[in-house]
């Protein structure tokens, strides 16, 4: 009964390859996020979808493309991987509707991407 | 723009002593503030939040946080630290005016020594 799950947990690949990370949440939330955590542990938001609509698109290279087939899933596809893409990528979800029970984000376990 | 600052990269405390992890914020409008903890090789876990009401908020694992509007601070506290509390702690603010974007601080590594 994992709340937010990500696959794969580890991803090791060569420069120039294309890879995808998948995320699923079973919390019934309407908003999902992708974050990148670098080697210094700094957490930076990349994208957010609300009910399958892209609502946050930070300054991220075009090689990164999120896709949300439904509000329970948010995938991240990365083209032409570069060394600098090595990081831990976290998926998260939250409920946008305001109320004391709905405000926090729930995070997945992370995907550690290593580009060689 | 909303922002969160965690002025200490690292906090060291002896087991059994009280601990404080500092956080200050800058928001327009009402602040919605959060603390998360990250253990090694794990995702972030929610600890506690301030939305409205009492300035002292109690959360998981015996942690609490004090909201201070005049000092724009939301410091995380625990009366008696445990070695198992050693982890990375993030303060965050939710911007309700910007598609519910969450702004995270840079994180504070808490080391509790036996």
């Amino acid at each position: 009964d994992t709340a937010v799950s990500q696959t794969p947990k580890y991803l090791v690949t060569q420069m120039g390859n294309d890879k995808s990370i998948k995320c699923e949440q079973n919390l019934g939330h309407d908003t999902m996020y992708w974050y990148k955590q670098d080697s210094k542990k700094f957490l930076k938001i990349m994208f957010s979808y609300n009910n399958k609509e892209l609502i946050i698109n930070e300054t991220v290279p075009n090689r990164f493309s999120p896709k949300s087939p439904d509000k329970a899933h948010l995938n991240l596809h990365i083209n032409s991987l570069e060394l600098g893409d090595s990081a831990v990528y976290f998926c998260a979800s939250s409920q946008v509707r305001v109320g004391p029970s709905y405000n926090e984000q729930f995070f997945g376990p992370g995907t550690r991407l290593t580009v060689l | 723009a909303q922002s969160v600052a965690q002025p200490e990269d690292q906090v060291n405390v002896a087991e059994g002593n009280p601990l404080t992890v500092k956080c200050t914020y800058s928001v327009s409008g009402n602040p919605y503030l959060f603390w998360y903890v990250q253990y090694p090789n794990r995702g972030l876990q929610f600890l506690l939040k301030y939305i409205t009401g009492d300035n002292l908020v109690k959360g998981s694992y015996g942690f609490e946080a004090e909201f201070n509007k005049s000092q724009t601070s939301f410091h995380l506290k625990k009366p008696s630290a445990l070695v198992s509390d050693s982890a990375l702690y993030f303060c965050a603010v939710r911007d309700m005016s910007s598609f519910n974007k969450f702004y995270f601080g840079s994180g504070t590594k808490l080391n509790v020594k036996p």
Side-chain angles (χ1 to χ4, degrees):
Chain A
D1 56 347
T2 305
V4 183
S5 59
Q6 293 179 231
T7 54
K9 191 168 172 63
Y10 299 96
L11 188 50
V12 181
T13 188
Q14 299 288 329
M15 231 172 21
N17 284 351
D18 303 340
K19 290 293 178 186
S20 292
I21 307 171
K22 295 186 176 182
C23 178
E24 177 180 1
Q25 55 97 2
N26 63 6
L27 298 165
H29 289 163
D30 58 7
T31 305
M32 296 183 72
Y33 309 78
W34 277 113
Y35 286 88
K36 179 180 180 180
Q37 187 175 45
D38 62 24
S39 58
K40 294 187 177 179
K41 305 299 184 184
F42 186 71
L43 204 60
K44 181 181 175 180
I45 189 162
M46 301 172 70
F47 302 103
S48 179
Y49 272 76
N50 174 259
N51 286 320
K52 301 195 297 175
E53 180 185 349
L54 181 65
I55 58 170
I56 296 174
N57 187 353
E58 294 295 285
T59 307
V60 177
N62 290 338
R63 300 181 293 102
F64 291 78
S65 54
K67 279 192 173 54
S68 182
D70 56 62
K71 71 177 188 177
H73 295 85
L74 180 61
N75 303 324
L76 183 65
H77 188 76
I78 315 170
N79 289 327
S80 304
L81 278 155
E82 299 178 357
L83 294 176
D85 297 333
S86 295
V88 181
Y89 292 84
F90 287 103
C91 177
S93 73
S94 71
Q95 184 66 12
V96 169
R97 183 160 32 118
V98 176
S101 300
Y102 297 120
N103 283 278
E104 61 265 32
Q105 284 186 325
F106 291 79
F107 282 78
T111 296
R112 183 175 294 275
L113 172 64
T114 303
V115 182
L116 303 174
Chain B
Q2 327 295 346
S3 67
V4 171
Q6 292 180 241
E8 303 153 317
D9 289 338
Q10 188 166 294
V11 169
N12 298 312
V13 65
E15 188 174 32
N17 283 0
L19 69 89
T20 299
V21 182
K22 295 179 181 177
C23 172
T24 59
Y25 65 90
S26 173
V27 299
S28 51
N30 293 325
Y32 294 85
L33 298 158
F34 304 80
W35 275 102
Y36 289 83
V37 60
Q38 185 180 24
Y39 296 101
N41 300 314
R42 304 286 293 275
L44 277 71
Q45 295 178 35
F46 168 72
L47 271 181
L48 51 77
K49 64 187 174 188
Y50 173 82
I51 304 300
T52 185
D54 288 341
N55 290 341
L56 187 64
V57 178
K58 293 191 184 298
S60 307
Y61 311 121
F63 283 93
E64 56 191 27
E66 187 168 12
F67 171 68
N68 188 317
K69 188 172 183 178
S70 62
Q71 296 185 5
T72 61
S73 66
F74 189 54
H75 300 333
L76 182 70
K77 300 182 180 187
K78 188 172 182 181
S80 179
L82 299 172
V83 172
S84 57
D85 292 331
S86 298
L88 189 58
Y89 290 81
F90 289 95
C91 182
V93 63
R94 185 175 184 177
D95 182 359
M96 303 301 287
S97 66
S98 179
F99 302 110
N100 291 281
K101 189 185 289 189
F102 282 75
Y103 293 86
F104 283 83
S106 53
T108 298
K109 189 169 190 303
L110 174 65
N111 295 312
V112 181
K113 298 191 189 241

